[in-house]
Protein backbone atom coordinates (compact mmCIF):
# COMPACT_ATOMS: atom_id res chain seq x y z
CA UNK A 1 0.00 0.00 0.00
CA UNK A 2 2.82 2.29 0.94
CA UNK A 3 4.41 2.01 -2.48
CA UNK A 4 1.10 2.65 -4.23
CA UNK A 5 0.58 5.81 -2.19
CA UNK A 6 4.11 6.89 -2.99
CA UNK A 7 3.51 6.19 -6.66
CA UNK A 8 0.34 8.23 -6.74
CA UNK A 9 2.17 11.06 -4.97
CA UNK A 10 5.01 10.86 -7.42
CA UNK A 11 2.73 10.86 -10.43
CA UNK A 12 0.95 13.92 -9.03
CA UNK A 13 4.34 15.62 -8.80
CA UNK A 14 4.84 15.16 -12.48
CA UNK A 15 7.73 12.80 -11.96
CA UNK A 16 10.01 15.69 -11.03
CA UNK A 17 11.58 13.63 -8.26
CA UNK A 18 13.29 11.78 -11.08
CA UNK A 19 14.23 14.91 -12.95
CA UNK A 20 12.24 13.98 -16.04
CA UNK A 21 13.98 15.75 -18.91
CA UNK A 22 12.14 18.03 -21.30
CA UNK A 23 11.81 15.21 -23.81
CA UNK A 24 9.70 13.16 -21.39
CA UNK A 25 7.39 16.14 -20.98
CA UNK A 26 6.71 16.18 -24.69
CA UNK A 27 4.42 13.18 -24.55
CA UNK A 28 0.96 14.73 -24.66
CA UNK A 29 -0.75 11.94 -22.78
CA UNK A 30 2.19 10.91 -20.73
CA UNK A 31 3.49 14.10 -19.24
CA UNK A 32 3.11 13.05 -15.62
CA UNK A 33 4.80 9.71 -15.88
CA UNK A 34 8.39 9.01 -14.93
CA UNK A 35 10.47 7.17 -17.49
CA UNK A 36 10.83 3.43 -17.02
CA UNK A 37 14.60 3.36 -17.40
CA UNK A 38 15.08 6.05 -14.76
CA UNK A 39 13.04 3.97 -12.37
CA UNK A 40 14.73 0.73 -13.35
CA UNK A 41 18.13 2.33 -12.69
CA UNK A 42 17.06 2.96 -9.10
CA UNK A 43 16.88 -0.81 -8.76
CA UNK A 44 20.61 -1.55 -8.53
CA UNK A 45 21.41 0.04 -11.87
CA UNK A 46 19.27 -2.24 -14.00
CA UNK A 47 18.17 -1.06 -17.44
CA UNK A 48 14.80 -0.91 -19.15
CA UNK A 49 15.20 -1.30 -22.91
CA UNK A 50 13.26 -1.79 -26.10
CA UNK A 51 13.60 -3.35 -29.51
CA UNK A 52 13.43 -0.89 -32.38
CA UNK A 53 13.16 -1.38 -36.09
CA UNK A 54 15.06 0.97 -38.37
CA UNK A 55 12.02 1.14 -40.68
CA UNK A 56 10.25 3.53 -38.25
CA UNK A 57 12.99 6.11 -37.83
CA UNK A 58 11.07 8.59 -40.00
CA UNK A 59 8.28 8.71 -37.37
CA UNK A 60 9.51 11.63 -35.26
CA UNK A 61 7.05 11.10 -32.44
CA UNK A 62 8.00 7.46 -32.04
CA UNK A 63 11.69 8.31 -32.40
CA UNK A 64 11.51 10.91 -29.62
CA UNK A 65 10.12 8.29 -27.25
CA UNK A 66 12.67 5.70 -28.40
CA UNK A 67 15.56 8.08 -27.86
CA UNK A 68 14.44 9.26 -24.45
CA UNK A 69 17.10 7.69 -22.28
CA UNK A 70 14.87 8.29 -19.27
CA UNK A 71 12.49 5.84 -20.88
CA UNK A 72 14.91 3.36 -22.44
CA UNK A 73 18.50 2.65 -21.47
CA UNK A 74 19.07 -0.09 -24.01
CA UNK A 75 18.09 -0.78 -27.60
CA UNK A 76 17.90 -4.04 -29.53
CA UNK A 77 17.81 -3.80 -33.33
CA UNK A 78 14.59 -5.67 -34.11
CA UNK A 79 15.62 -7.10 -37.49
CA UNK A 80 18.56 -5.24 -39.00
CA UNK A 81 21.31 -7.46 -37.58
CA UNK A 82 19.68 -10.71 -38.66
CA UNK A 83 21.44 -12.76 -41.32
CA UNK A 84 19.02 -11.94 -44.14
CA UNK A 85 19.65 -8.24 -43.49
CA UNK A 86 23.42 -8.29 -42.97
CA UNK A 87 24.47 -10.87 -45.59
CA UNK A 88 21.61 -11.03 -48.12
CA UNK A 89 23.93 -12.51 -50.77
CA UNK A 90 26.87 -14.72 -50.02
CA UNK A 91 29.85 -12.59 -49.07
CA UNK A 92 27.93 -9.34 -49.69
CA UNK A 93 27.44 -7.52 -46.44
CA UNK A 94 24.99 -4.69 -45.84
CA UNK A 95 25.14 -2.86 -42.54
CA UNK A 96 23.22 0.27 -43.51
CA UNK A 97 20.05 -0.38 -41.48
CA UNK A 98 21.89 -1.86 -38.54
CA UNK A 99 24.33 1.04 -38.45
CA UNK A 100 21.36 3.39 -38.28
CA UNK A 101 19.93 1.39 -35.36
CA UNK A 102 23.22 1.57 -33.49
CA UNK A 103 23.68 5.25 -34.30
CA UNK A 104 20.24 6.13 -32.90
CA UNK A 105 21.03 4.26 -29.70
CA UNK A 106 24.42 5.93 -29.37
CA UNK A 107 22.91 9.39 -29.93
CA UNK A 108 20.63 8.65 -26.99
CA UNK A 109 23.40 7.22 -24.81
CA UNK A 110 21.74 3.80 -24.86
CA UNK A 111 23.56 0.51 -24.83
CA UNK A 112 22.93 -1.94 -27.65
CA UNK A 113 21.92 -5.57 -27.25
CA UNK A 114 23.05 -6.96 -30.59
CA UNK A 115 20.64 -9.51 -32.07
CA UNK A 116 21.16 -12.18 -33.47
CA UNK A 117 23.82 -14.35 -35.17
CA UNK A 118 22.85 -18.02 -35.41
CA UNK A 119 19.12 -18.64 -35.75
CA UNK A 120 17.03 -20.96 -37.90
CA UNK A 121 14.84 -18.02 -38.92
CA UNK A 122 15.65 -14.79 -40.70
CA UNK A 123 18.03 -16.61 -43.05
CA UNK A 124 18.51 -15.58 -46.68
CA UNK A 125 17.56 -17.97 -49.48
CA UNK A 126 21.16 -18.56 -50.46
CA UNK A 127 21.61 -20.47 -47.22
CA UNK A 128 18.31 -22.31 -47.00
CA UNK A 129 17.97 -23.27 -50.66
CA UNK A 130 21.11 -25.33 -50.99
CA UNK A 131 22.76 -28.32 -49.43
CA UNK A 132 25.91 -27.76 -47.43
CA UNK A 133 28.57 -30.06 -46.14
CA UNK A 134 29.73 -29.82 -42.59
CA UNK A 135 32.88 -28.03 -43.74
CA UNK A 136 31.28 -25.54 -46.12
CA UNK A 137 28.60 -24.53 -43.63
CA UNK A 138 31.13 -24.03 -40.85
CA UNK A 139 33.13 -21.81 -43.21
CA UNK A 140 29.98 -19.80 -44.07
CA UNK A 141 29.20 -19.46 -40.37
CA UNK A 142 32.69 -18.30 -39.46
CA UNK A 143 32.84 -15.78 -42.28
CA UNK A 144 29.47 -14.33 -41.30
CA UNK A 145 30.35 -14.10 -37.62
CA UNK A 146 33.76 -12.63 -38.42
CA UNK A 147 32.36 -9.89 -40.68
CA UNK A 148 29.34 -8.96 -38.57
CA UNK A 149 30.95 -9.15 -35.15
CA UNK A 150 34.06 -7.29 -36.33
CA UNK A 151 31.89 -4.57 -37.91
CA UNK A 152 30.05 -3.93 -34.63
CA UNK A 153 33.01 -4.57 -32.32
CA UNK A 154 32.98 -2.22 -29.37
CA UNK A 155 29.38 -1.20 -29.99
CA UNK A 156 27.52 -4.20 -28.62
CA UNK A 157 26.97 -4.62 -24.91
CA UNK A 158 26.02 -8.19 -25.77
CA UNK A 159 25.37 -10.53 -28.68
CA UNK A 160 22.50 -13.00 -28.80
CA UNK A 161 24.84 -15.58 -30.31
CA UNK A 162 22.52 -18.55 -30.71
CA UNK A 163 18.78 -17.91 -30.74
CA UNK A 164 16.03 -20.52 -30.18
CA UNK A 165 18.07 -23.74 -30.42
CA UNK A 166 15.86 -25.94 -28.24
CA UNK A 167 12.59 -27.77 -28.98
CA UNK A 168 9.60 -27.91 -26.62
CA UNK A 169 10.66 -31.38 -25.48
CA UNK A 170 14.12 -30.14 -24.57
CA UNK A 171 15.96 -31.69 -27.52
CA UNK A 172 17.98 -29.66 -30.01
CA UNK A 173 15.95 -27.97 -32.70
CA UNK A 174 16.68 -29.53 -36.09
CA UNK A 175 17.85 -26.42 -37.85
CA UNK A 176 20.10 -26.25 -40.88
CA UNK A 177 22.96 -25.72 -38.39
CA UNK A 178 22.12 -28.75 -36.31
CA UNK A 179 21.35 -31.01 -39.23
CA UNK A 180 24.51 -30.14 -41.11
CA UNK A 181 27.08 -29.52 -38.41
CA UNK A 182 25.62 -31.36 -35.43
CA UNK A 183 25.14 -30.02 -31.90
CA UNK A 184 28.75 -28.77 -31.96
CA UNK A 185 27.59 -25.79 -34.00
CA UNK A 186 26.53 -24.13 -30.77
CA UNK A 187 29.93 -24.18 -29.02
CA UNK A 188 31.57 -23.26 -32.33
CA UNK A 189 29.41 -20.16 -32.68
CA UNK A 190 30.22 -18.91 -29.16
CA UNK A 191 33.94 -19.55 -29.68
CA UNK A 192 33.89 -17.64 -32.96
CA UNK A 193 32.11 -14.62 -31.49
CA UNK A 194 34.47 -14.60 -28.50
CA UNK A 195 37.38 -14.59 -30.93
CA UNK A 196 36.16 -11.57 -32.92
CA UNK A 197 34.75 -9.54 -30.02
CA UNK A 198 36.18 -10.72 -26.71
CA UNK A 199 34.47 -7.91 -24.79
CA UNK A 200 30.82 -8.46 -25.72
CA UNK A 201 28.67 -10.51 -23.36
CA UNK A 202 27.60 -13.66 -25.15
CA UNK A 203 23.97 -14.66 -24.62
CA UNK A 204 21.78 -17.66 -25.29
CA UNK A 205 18.26 -16.36 -26.04
CA UNK A 206 15.00 -18.33 -26.28
CA UNK A 207 11.24 -18.25 -25.74
CA UNK A 208 9.08 -20.72 -23.82
CA UNK A 209 11.67 -20.96 -21.05
CA UNK A 210 9.83 -18.79 -18.55
CA UNK A 211 8.66 -21.63 -16.34
CA UNK A 212 10.11 -25.01 -15.53
CA UNK A 213 9.21 -27.38 -18.36
CA UNK A 214 11.14 -29.72 -20.66
CA UNK A 215 12.25 -26.90 -22.93
CA UNK A 216 13.61 -24.90 -20.01
CA UNK A 217 15.42 -27.97 -18.69
CA UNK A 218 16.88 -28.45 -22.18
CA UNK A 219 18.10 -24.86 -22.26
CA UNK A 220 19.57 -25.19 -18.78
CA UNK A 221 21.40 -28.38 -19.88
CA UNK A 222 22.66 -26.61 -23.01
CA UNK A 223 24.14 -23.67 -21.08
CA UNK A 224 25.56 -25.99 -18.39
CA UNK A 225 27.22 -28.09 -21.08
CA UNK A 226 28.79 -25.03 -22.70
CA UNK A 227 30.07 -23.84 -19.34
CA UNK A 228 31.52 -27.23 -18.52
CA UNK A 229 33.34 -27.26 -21.84
CA UNK A 230 34.87 -23.90 -21.00
CA UNK A 231 32.94 -22.10 -23.74
CA UNK A 232 32.38 -18.38 -23.07
CA UNK A 233 28.69 -17.87 -22.41
CA UNK A 234 27.84 -14.92 -20.20
CA UNK A 235 24.10 -14.58 -20.22
CA UNK A 236 20.71 -16.10 -20.84
CA UNK A 237 17.85 -14.11 -22.30
CA UNK A 238 14.29 -15.10 -21.59
CA UNK A 239 12.35 -13.61 -24.48
CA UNK A 240 8.97 -13.14 -22.82
CA UNK A 241 6.39 -13.13 -25.62
CA UNK A 242 3.19 -13.86 -23.70
CA UNK A 243 -0.43 -14.21 -24.75
CA UNK A 244 -2.40 -13.06 -21.69
CA UNK A 245 -3.99 -16.47 -21.28
CA UNK A 246 -0.68 -18.30 -21.18
CA UNK A 247 1.76 -16.18 -19.23
CA UNK A 248 4.10 -17.37 -16.48
CA UNK A 249 3.52 -16.15 -12.94
CA UNK A 250 5.90 -13.93 -10.99
CA UNK A 251 7.04 -17.02 -9.06
CA UNK A 252 7.65 -19.01 -12.26
CA UNK A 253 9.84 -16.27 -13.63
CA UNK A 254 11.81 -15.77 -10.43
CA UNK A 255 12.45 -19.51 -10.30
CA UNK A 256 13.61 -19.80 -13.88
CA UNK A 257 15.76 -16.66 -13.83
CA UNK A 258 17.41 -17.98 -10.68
CA UNK A 259 17.91 -21.48 -12.14
CA UNK A 260 19.80 -19.98 -15.06
CA UNK A 261 21.70 -17.60 -12.78
CA UNK A 262 22.81 -20.61 -10.71
CA UNK A 263 24.79 -21.74 -13.76
CA UNK A 264 26.99 -18.68 -13.30
CA UNK A 265 25.52 -16.40 -15.99
CA UNK A 266 23.68 -13.09 -15.90
CA UNK A 267 20.07 -13.14 -16.99
CA UNK A 268 17.64 -10.71 -18.60
CA UNK A 269 14.17 -10.58 -20.05
CA UNK A 270 14.94 -9.66 -23.63
CA UNK A 271 11.75 -9.45 -25.71
CA UNK A 272 8.82 -8.80 -23.40
CA UNK A 273 5.40 -8.18 -24.90
CA UNK A 274 1.98 -9.29 -23.74
CA UNK A 275 -0.72 -9.78 -26.34
CA UNK A 276 -4.48 -9.62 -26.00
CA UNK A 277 -7.25 -10.83 -28.27
CA UNK A 278 -8.46 -8.28 -30.78
CA UNK A 279 -10.95 -6.64 -30.33
CA UNK A 280 -9.53 -5.83 -26.96
CA UNK A 281 -11.49 -6.80 -23.84
CA UNK A 282 -11.25 -4.94 -20.56
CA UNK A 283 -10.49 -8.14 -18.61
CA UNK A 284 -7.58 -8.95 -20.86
CA UNK A 285 -6.13 -5.47 -20.49
CA UNK A 286 -6.23 -6.04 -16.73
CA UNK A 287 -4.44 -9.37 -17.17
CA UNK A 288 -1.88 -7.72 -19.42
CA UNK A 289 -1.27 -5.08 -16.74
CA UNK A 290 -0.51 -7.67 -14.09
CA UNK A 291 1.68 -9.75 -16.41
CA UNK A 292 3.88 -6.82 -17.40
CA UNK A 293 4.33 -5.80 -13.77
CA UNK A 294 5.05 -9.37 -12.65
CA UNK A 295 7.75 -9.79 -15.29
CA UNK A 296 9.51 -6.60 -14.31
CA UNK A 297 9.18 -7.43 -10.60
CA UNK A 298 10.60 -10.90 -11.19
CA UNK A 299 13.71 -9.43 -12.82
CA UNK A 300 14.20 -6.88 -10.07
CA UNK A 301 13.90 -9.60 -7.42
CA UNK A 302 16.61 -11.81 -8.92
CA UNK A 303 20.07 -10.34 -8.26
CA UNK A 304 21.54 -11.74 -11.50
CA UNK A 305 18.80 -10.21 -13.66
CA UNK A 306 20.31 -7.08 -15.16
CA UNK A 307 17.42 -5.67 -17.16
CA UNK A 308 14.19 -5.97 -19.07
CA UNK A 309 13.73 -5.22 -22.75
CA UNK A 310 10.29 -4.85 -24.30
CA UNK A 311 9.84 -5.96 -27.92
CA UNK A 312 8.64 -2.57 -29.05
CA UNK A 313 6.53 -0.05 -27.15
CA UNK A 314 3.95 1.23 -29.65
CA UNK A 315 1.06 -1.03 -30.70
CA UNK A 316 0.90 -0.01 -34.38
CA UNK A 317 4.51 -1.15 -34.87
CA UNK A 318 4.29 -4.43 -32.98
CA UNK A 319 5.17 -7.68 -34.73
CA UNK A 320 2.32 -9.53 -32.97
CA UNK A 321 -0.70 -8.94 -35.27
CA UNK A 322 1.33 -10.00 -38.30
CA UNK A 323 2.52 -13.17 -36.60
CA UNK A 324 -0.25 -14.26 -34.23
CA UNK A 325 -3.57 -13.78 -36.04
CA UNK A 326 -6.36 -12.48 -33.81
CA UNK A 327 -3.94 -11.03 -31.26
CA UNK A 328 -2.33 -7.64 -30.84
CA UNK A 329 -2.15 -4.50 -28.67
CA UNK A 330 0.87 -6.07 -26.99
CA UNK A 331 2.86 -2.96 -26.18
CA UNK A 332 2.90 -0.24 -23.52
CA UNK A 333 1.34 2.53 -25.65
CA UNK A 334 -1.89 2.34 -27.59
CA UNK A 335 -2.10 3.73 -31.11
CA UNK A 336 -3.20 7.16 -29.80
CA UNK A 337 -0.09 7.28 -27.58
CA UNK A 338 -2.00 6.80 -24.36
CA UNK A 339 0.15 4.90 -21.88
CA UNK A 340 -1.57 1.68 -20.84
CA UNK A 341 -2.34 0.64 -17.27
CA UNK A 342 0.60 -1.74 -17.70
CA UNK A 343 2.88 1.28 -17.85
CA UNK A 344 1.68 2.57 -14.49
CA UNK A 345 1.83 -0.92 -13.01
CA UNK A 346 5.50 -1.13 -13.99
CA UNK A 347 6.08 2.29 -12.44
CA UNK A 348 4.54 1.02 -9.21
CA UNK A 349 6.62 -2.13 -9.34
CA UNK A 350 9.80 -0.11 -9.73
CA UNK A 351 9.35 2.62 -7.17
CA UNK A 352 11.47 2.31 -4.05
CA UNK A 353 9.51 0.41 -1.41
CA UNK A 354 10.33 2.59 1.60
C1 LIG B 1 10.61 -10.78 -35.06
C2 LIG B 1 10.41 -9.34 -35.51
O1 LIG B 1 9.78 -8.62 -34.48
C3 LIG B 1 9.58 -9.30 -36.77
O2 LIG B 1 9.50 -7.97 -37.27
C4 LIG B 1 10.17 -10.23 -37.82
O3 LIG B 1 9.33 -10.26 -38.96
C5 LIG B 1 10.37 -11.62 -37.27
O4 LIG B 1 11.15 -11.56 -36.10
N1 LIG B 1 12.06 -14.00 -31.39
C6 LIG B 1 13.15 -13.24 -31.74
C7 LIG B 1 12.97 -12.03 -32.54
O5 LIG B 1 14.29 -13.53 -31.28
O6 LIG B 1 14.05 -11.77 -33.41
C8 LIG B 1 11.68 -12.06 -33.34
O7 LIG B 1 11.51 -10.80 -33.97
C9 LIG B 1 10.52 -12.41 -32.44
C10 LIG B 1 10.72 -13.77 -31.82
Amino acid sequence: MKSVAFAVGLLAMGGTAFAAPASALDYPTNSTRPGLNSLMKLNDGRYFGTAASAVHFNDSKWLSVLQDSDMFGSMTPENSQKWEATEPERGLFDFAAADLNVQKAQEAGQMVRCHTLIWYNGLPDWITSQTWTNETLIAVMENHIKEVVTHFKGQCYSWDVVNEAVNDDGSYRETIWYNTIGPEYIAMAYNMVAKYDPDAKLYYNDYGIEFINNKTLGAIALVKDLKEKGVKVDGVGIQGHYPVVLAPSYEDQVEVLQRFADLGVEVATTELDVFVEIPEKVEQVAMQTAIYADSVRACVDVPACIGVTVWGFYDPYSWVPGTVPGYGNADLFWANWTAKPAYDAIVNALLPKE
Side-chain angles (χ1 to χ4, degrees):
M1 281 319 279
K2 209 172 174 184
S3 72
V4 173
F6 181 31
V8 171
L10 180 87
L11 294 175
M13 278 160 36
T16 47
F18 295 93
S23 59
L25 301 174
D26 291 338
Y27 312 156
T29 55
N30 198 38
S31 56
T32 58
R33 289 175 171 82
L36 299 178
N37 187 54
S38 303
L39 292 176
M40 196 66 160
K41 268 203 261 182
L42 299 177
N43 290 271
D44 297 314
R46 290 179 175 82
Y47 65 83
F48 196 92
T50 184
S53 170
V55 302
H56 304 306
F57 285 142
N58 57 357
D59 178 340
S60 57
K61 167 73 189 179
W62 175 86
L63 185 63
S64 72
V65 181
L66 173 69
Q67 289 193 297
D68 179 357
S69 58
D70 227 28
M71 186 67 96
F72 300 117
S74 171
M75 201 264 283
T76 305
E78 184 170 347
N79 290 310
S80 62
Q81 290 178 322
K82 292 174 182 171
W83 200 308
E84 63 189 352
T86 52
E87 194 183 2
E89 301 295 337
R90 187 170 184 179
L92 236 165
F93 289 85
D94 180 355
F95 297 118
D99 282 345
L100 204 58
N101 264 120
V102 171
Q103 182 203 321
K104 295 293 179 199
Q106 286 173 347
E107 280 170 17
Q110 295 160 339
M111 66 183 217
V112 184
R113 293 197 77 264
C114 290
H115 174 83
T116 178
L117 293 163
I118 303 296
W119 192 25
Y120 72 96
N121 216 338
L123 292 173
D125 286 346
W126 68 266
I127 292 194
T128 50
S129 64
Q130 57 176 302
T131 313
W132 302 92
T133 64
N134 182 314
E135 268 184 3
T136 53
L137 195 60
I138 291 173
V140 158
M141 185 166 114
E142 172 131 32
N143 190 52
H144 182 79
I145 288 178
K146 179 179 124 203
E147 292 294 328
V148 177
V149 170
T150 302
H151 181 84
F152 293 107
K153 190 168 186 294
Q155 298 178 295
C156 303
Y157 165 74
S158 58
W159 265 111
D160 289 335
V161 176
V162 173
N163 200 34
E164 304 180 351
V166 178
N167 286 319
D168 286 350
D169 67 3
S171 60
Y172 290 109
R173 193 191 280 266
E174 297 194 344
T175 64
I176 189 165
W177 313 110
Y178 179 87
N179 291 337
T180 313
I181 303 172
E184 298 80 16
Y185 86 89
I186 299 176
M188 281 178 192
Y190 284 87
N191 288 336
M192 289 171 189
V193 183
K195 176 171 156 194
Y196 295 109
D197 187 354
D199 297 329
K201 301 264 186 198
L202 309 191
Y203 269 65
Y204 177 69
N205 192 53
D206 212 332
Y207 66 90
I209 55 168
E210 330 52 55
F211 46 95
I212 298 294
N213 56 27
N214 288 335
K215 181 168 185 173
T216 305
L217 296 176
I220 289 172
L222 185 158
V223 174
K224 188 162 179 276
D225 179 56
L226 290 173
K227 283 268 184 200
E228 283 170 1
K229 286 180 174 141
V231 174
K232 178 171 155 38
V233 47
D234 307 299
V236 171
I238 290 181
Q239 290 185 5
H241 297 292
Y242 306 135
V244 284
V245 290
L246 215 72
S249 66
Y250 162 82
E251 288 80 10
D252 290 330
Q253 292 175 76
V254 167
E255 183 180 4
V256 167
L257 290 167
Q258 191 56 54
R259 284 287 289 272
F260 281 111
D262 290 345
L263 301 173
V265 291
E266 63 181 40
V267 293
T269 295
T270 52
E271 304 188 12
L272 182 62
D273 56 12
V274 182
F275 24 115
V276 301
E277 278 170 75
I278 300 296
E280 194 173 77
K281 297 177 190 64
V282 179
E283 320 82 76
Q284 292 207 347
V285 175
M287 290 162 83
Q288 178 186 55
T289 303
I291 295 164
Y292 261 110
D294 283 346
S295 286
V296 174
R297 272 201 310 132
C299 177
V300 166
D301 290 346
V302 172
C305 186
I306 64 157
V308 172
T309 297
V310 288
W311 206 243
F313 53 91
Y314 184 48
D315 280 346
Y317 297 162
S318 164
W319 75 303
V320 171
T323 311
V324 195
Y327 286 82
N329 289 13
D331 293 346
L332 292 172
F333 290 89
W334 276 297
N336 65 4
W337 281 110
T338 307
K340 294 189 189 175
Y343 189 106
D344 294 334
I346 295 174
V347 170
N348 282 337
L350 290 177
L351 285 168
K353 297 296 175 277
E354 292 308 320

